Amino acid sequence: MNYLFFMPSLLTRTQELIYQPSGDEDCKEFYDIPDKGFTGIQTNVAATKYIIAHLLKCGQKIDKILMLCSTEVLNTAIESALIATSEETISTYEYYTRTISEWALKHGYSKEEIKDLFAPLDLENLNPGSWSQMDGTLNSFIQEVGVSSTSKDKLFIDYTGGNRSASMI
């Protein structure tokens, strides 16, 4: 199984980012903007699209997206002006999952695969304390969803948003 792990950034801007992977020409057919790259308003969207596209080119898929979320990412409503076609207010988490779900459906994922794709963990429920306590919680979470260091499971880590500290992971 293939897993993606990251800490999502809170959506606070309206500018769409373009991410063009260096040295991975095989993914061009998946670009949102031809010859430019993958797009996303929320920092993690373009990186997630790239990882999904890269795996699709290898005949694989992401099986689970593990998200270490702040309470703000999970619950704070963002302004509808950030989402051009929407009249509602939704959280950053809802925006990310909706955007990635729609994109993945267009690129070969089934509704059944999308249904169980996202696994959020609320940082608020973690016991604040030492990094070793945090590490133990993260390890437990990763193991709980089935990532095994002894199997052929692959864990991809996106450092583009949220806490970018490698020591945290």
Side-chain angles (χ1 to χ4, degrees):
M1 291 190 58
N2 293 307
Y3 298 88
L4 170 60
F5 178 80
F6 68 94
M7 185 174 185
S9 296
L10 185 63
L11 180 53
T12 58
R13 67 172 142 241
T14 59
Q15 180 182 5
E16 188 167 63
L17 304 171
I18 299 173
Y19 174 72
Q20 185 175 30
S22 149
D24 199 347
E25 300 297 312
D26 290 345
C27 290
K28 281 188 171 187
E29 70 184 79
F30 296 98
Y31 283 4
D32 296 311
I33 301 173
D35 297 321
K36 293 283 186 186
F38 300 98
T39 62
I41 294 173
Q42 195 269 351
T43 305
N44 305 100
V45 168
T48 300
K49 289 177 181 179
Y50 166 69
I51 292 169
I52 291 172
H54 177 76
L55 286 171
L56 286 171
K57 289 302 289 183
C58 297
Q60 301 177 43
K61 293 182 177 181
I62 286 288
D63 298 292
K64 187 70 74 176
I65 298 176
L66 313 171
M67 303 170 67
L68 185 60
C69 300
S70 68
T71 301
E72 293 81 11
V73 165
L74 286 171
N75 301 318
T76 302
I78 53 177
E79 297 297 320
S80 62
L82 296 175
I83 303 146
T85 61
S86 178
E87 294 297 321
E88 65 183 326
T89 55
I90 60 175
S91 69
T92 299
Y93 173 77
E94 291 168 319
Y95 172 78
Y96 171 85
T97 57
R98 189 178 295 175
T99 301
I100 293 302
S101 295
E102 290 170 1
W103 192 87
L105 282 169
K106 290 179 188 174
H107 293 91
Y109 277 70
S110 69
K111 288 183 181 181
E112 190 63 31
E113 290 170 316
I114 296 293
K115 185 179 77 167
D116 296 321
L117 187 60
F118 305 98
L121 173 65
D122 187 350
L123 272 170
E124 191 71 24
N125 292 327
L126 297 178
N127 182 10
S130 71
W131 284 111
S132 63
Q133 287 175 320
M134 174 73 85
D135 181 51
T137 303
L138 294 178
N139 283 334
S140 297
F141 175 66
I142 290 170
Q143 290 171 7
E144 181 180 314
V145 296
V147 179
S148 169
S149 61
T150 60
S151 72
K152 293 185 180 188
D153 291 345
K154 293 179 187 171
L155 177 63
F156 298 87
I157 300 175
D158 169 12
Y159 290 103
T160 62
N163 189 332
R164 291 173 175 88
S165 172
S167 65
M168 187 198 113
I169 297 178

